[in-house]
Amino acid sequence: MKKTPSSSTLGPEGLDIAQSFFKPIQHSSPPPLTTRTTKITVVGVGNVGMAIAQTILTQGLANELALVDVNSDKLRGEKLDLQHAAAFLPRTNITASVDYSNTVGSDLVIVTAGARQIVGESRLNLLQRNVSLFRKVIPPLAERSPDGILLVVSNPVDVLTYVAWKLSGFPSNRVIGSGTNLDSSRFRFLIADHLDLNAQDVQAYIVGEHGDSSVALWSSISVGGVPILSFLERQQIAYEKQTLEKIHKEVVEGAYEVISLKGYTSWAIGYSVASLARAILRDQRSIHPVSVLAKGFYGIHGGEPFLSLPAQLGRSGVLGVTNVHLTEEEEKQLQKSAKTILELQAQLGI
């Protein structure tokens, strides 16, 4: 791990006190010339980027954390603020730069940078502005970390993950969107709240677009390993479809509610992305609903849409897509979601 410029000049006349402070034990070998470290880059130090950075630090997911943004003052301020918490955190080397020089050799590059929607602006126009931004951001990141994994968080996340894939030249398994990982967390929370139990005991997925056309996989929900809908049917417990649709609506509108109340979302997406970083960098091979190249799955054959499917994540990125059983209605809804995304992708000229 690199030292900060001041760490080797604390002694009188620039004496490197690290050499004097520690005395090596006898018959020891010199340290290896190369050591394996884990490096994460976060592009964009807004509310979302910093919530992700802070969560990564507190969970000790990286030896090195590189921050990139166009605002040099805010960038330096955020770096110093994090560094000043060093006594309370796992040891991490934090760097910050307005260019991409400090991102070299990143294992994982998390992109949160994006243009904000102007009042009255169409979704397509916002998307085009973000595509222009990605044309400047993605190629230099890919060039400096050719073996890394790209994790896109910027919205609209599905289409921008497709853009990042095209601009980076990376194989599809190494370009991932945060997708509906957070939507699924909201889904699990609402179901758990409804049943008065821990959300960690609920297995439930939102798939498809991270947006209005997302699909709730009610047929595959289980609680403590028990498939919930089939359990209700076996016990002859009546439930209304409207109740299920209401919960899904709450999931879709959850982000809008948070934004209307506090102005932005941050903490939940921070934990969501950190969970993806942990799964990837620690090769946990856990399943997360993230935005991946969906061609060939669940009857999606036309074009190259990126949308969320339950995917197994590990050190090489997406290891595979889980063969979750979908009802005929759910599969049709997922195909409709893919069509919505494809219509946007077709207008990008990439």
Side-chain angles (χ1 to χ4, degrees):
M1 198 177 300
K2 296 178 180 178
K3 298 178 182 178
T4 60
S6 62
S7 63
S8 61
T9 58
L10 293 177
E13 299 180 2
L15 174 66
D16 187 346
I17 64 168
Q19 299 298 318
S20 304
F21 199 78
F22 298 101
K23 185 177 180 179
I25 62 173
Q26 295 184 25
H27 309 299
S28 63
S29 62
L33 296 177
T34 58
T35 55
R36 177 62 187 158
T37 60
T38 301
K39 183 173 182 177
I40 298 177
T41 286
V42 176
V43 183
V45 296
N47 296 315
V48 170
M50 291 313 300
I52 293 169
Q54 187 265 351
T55 311
I56 286 170
L57 286 174
T58 57
Q59 295 186 5
L61 300 181
N63 305 101
E64 297 183 51
L65 176 65
L67 304 176
V68 178
D69 199 279
V70 294
N71 186 332
S72 59
D73 287 344
K74 188 175 193 311
L75 187 64
R76 177 168 167 74
E78 295 288 7
K79 181 191 75 168
L80 289 172
D81 206 5
L82 290 177
Q83 287 178 330
H84 295 167
F88 316 116
L89 296 169
R91 186 170 182 241
T92 306
N93 182 40
I94 304 171
T95 62
S97 177
V98 294
D99 59 40
Y100 302 95
S101 58
N102 68 326
T103 71
V104 172
S106 295
D107 298 284
L108 179 64
V109 177
I110 301 170
V111 183
T112 73
R116 290 193 176 187
Q117 192 165 11
I118 302 169
V119 177
E121 182 180 32
S122 69
R123 186 183 182 194
L124 179 60
N125 190 63
L126 172 65
L127 178 57
Q128 291 286 13
R129 289 200 292 129
N130 276 321
V131 169
S132 297
L133 176 64
F134 268 43
R135 288 186 188 276
K136 299 175 184 176
V137 169
I138 300 299
L141 289 170
E143 180 183 352
R144 286 162 176 79
S145 301
D147 299 319
I149 293 170
L150 282 174
L151 176 54
V152 179
V153 183
S154 311
N155 279 316
V157 67
D158 302 297
V159 180
L160 288 179
T161 305
Y162 165 80
V163 171
W165 175 52
K166 288 295 186 180
L167 294 176
S168 67
F170 282 6
S172 60
N173 62 296
R174 290 201 285 119
V175 184
I176 306 165
S178 56
T180 57
N181 194 52
L182 177 53
D183 305 65
S184 297
S185 176
R186 292 186 180 115
F187 194 33
R188 292 168 66 187
F189 161 73
L190 290 169
I191 294 168
D193 193 49
H194 195 71
L195 298 175
D196 193 24
L197 51 82
N198 192 318
Q200 293 183 346
D201 292 319
V202 178
Q203 187 94 25
Y205 295 122
I206 298 287
V207 297
E209 180 197 17
H210 172 59
D212 296 341
S213 70
S214 65
V215 183
L217 299 186
W218 289 102
S219 63
S220 63
I221 294 175
S222 65
V223 175
V226 178
I228 190 70
L229 292 192
S230 58
F231 170 78
L232 294 176
E233 290 168 359
R234 285 197 307 272
Q235 298 296 319
Q236 296 183 339
I237 300 174
Y239 65 90
E240 295 183 351
K241 188 176 180 181
Q242 290 87 341
T243 302
L244 307 185
E245 291 173 349
K246 182 181 178 182
I247 293 176
H248 182 210
K249 186 179 179 182
E250 286 185 59
V251 172
V252 173
E253 295 178 349
Y256 300 125
E257 183 179 9
V258 174
I259 292 170
S260 69
L261 291 170
K262 61 176 273 189
Y264 55 89
T265 61
S266 57
W267 301 121
I269 189 63
Y271 282 105
S272 172
V273 173
S275 75
L276 301 179
R278 187 189 310 110
I280 293 167
L281 297 174
R282 295 186 177 171
D283 198 30
Q284 290 191 332
R285 297 174 177 260
S286 51
I287 298 168
H288 298 264
V290 290
S291 191
V292 299
L293 180 59
K295 185 177 182 180
F297 298 103
Y298 303 108
I300 300 169
H301 299 296
E304 296 173 321
F306 271 70
L307 50 79
S308 285
L309 298 174
Q312 186 186 41
L313 301 182
R315 196 60 187 79
S316 59
V318 179
L319 306 179
V321 171
T322 311
N323 190 19
V324 176
H325 172 73
L326 270 61
T327 65
E328 185 177 342
E329 182 182 356
E330 289 169 345
E331 191 162 309
K332 285 181 179 178
Q333 289 177 339
L334 185 60
Q335 291 167 4
K336 183 180 178 182
S337 190
K339 184 179 178 182
T340 299
I341 291 167
L342 281 171
E343 288 172 354
L344 281 173
Q345 287 181 189
Q347 301 176 68
L348 301 180
I350 292 180

